[in-house]
Amino acid sequence: PYARVSGFDRTISDEAQRRIARAQRCWLSVDLIRTIATEKEARNFIGRAIAKLAPPESVFLVDADTGRTVPFTAAVRARLAAGQPIE
């Protein structure tokens, strides 16, 4: 599980979500290899890639830099696809 590798599950305050995160057996990671222009543009590119590539049954979105974890909902996917930040 990704939680074993990263420890990101410790940042999830909701116990039910933490249990789901700990049970995950696969993950999709998109990393920045080279700066596109600005960090914002790079993050927008990564977000659009995740929105396109993540399977429909995806449960969480984790920012590896901050440990922030949010449920991967249809609204989150739409925001990422539009190049908008997750609030």
Side-chain angles (χ1 to χ4, degrees), residues 27-38:
W27 64 86
L28 169 69
S29 176
V30 178
D31 298 310
L32 179 62
I33 296 172
R34 170 179 91 66
T35 302
I36 294 171
T38 66

Side-chain angles (χ1 to χ4, degrees), residues 8-62:
F8 84 94
D9 58 314
R10 292 188 298 265
T11 67
I12 302 172
S13 59
D14 182 90
E15 180 62 34
Q17 287 184 355
R18 192 169 41 253
R19 276 194 303 274
I20 293 168
R22 288 178 177 158
Q24 292 291 93
R25 296 292 179 243
C26 63
W27 64 86
L28 169 69
S29 176
V30 178
D31 298 310
L32 179 62
I33 296 172
R34 170 179 91 66
T35 302
I36 294 171
T38 66
E39 183 169 336
K40 180 181 180 211
E41 289 171 328
R43 286 186 168 275
N44 287 345
F45 173 82
I46 290 170
R48 288 190 305 272
I50 289 173
K52 181 94 172 160
L53 298 172
E57 63 273 10
S58 297
V59 179
F60 294 107
L61 176 66
V62 179

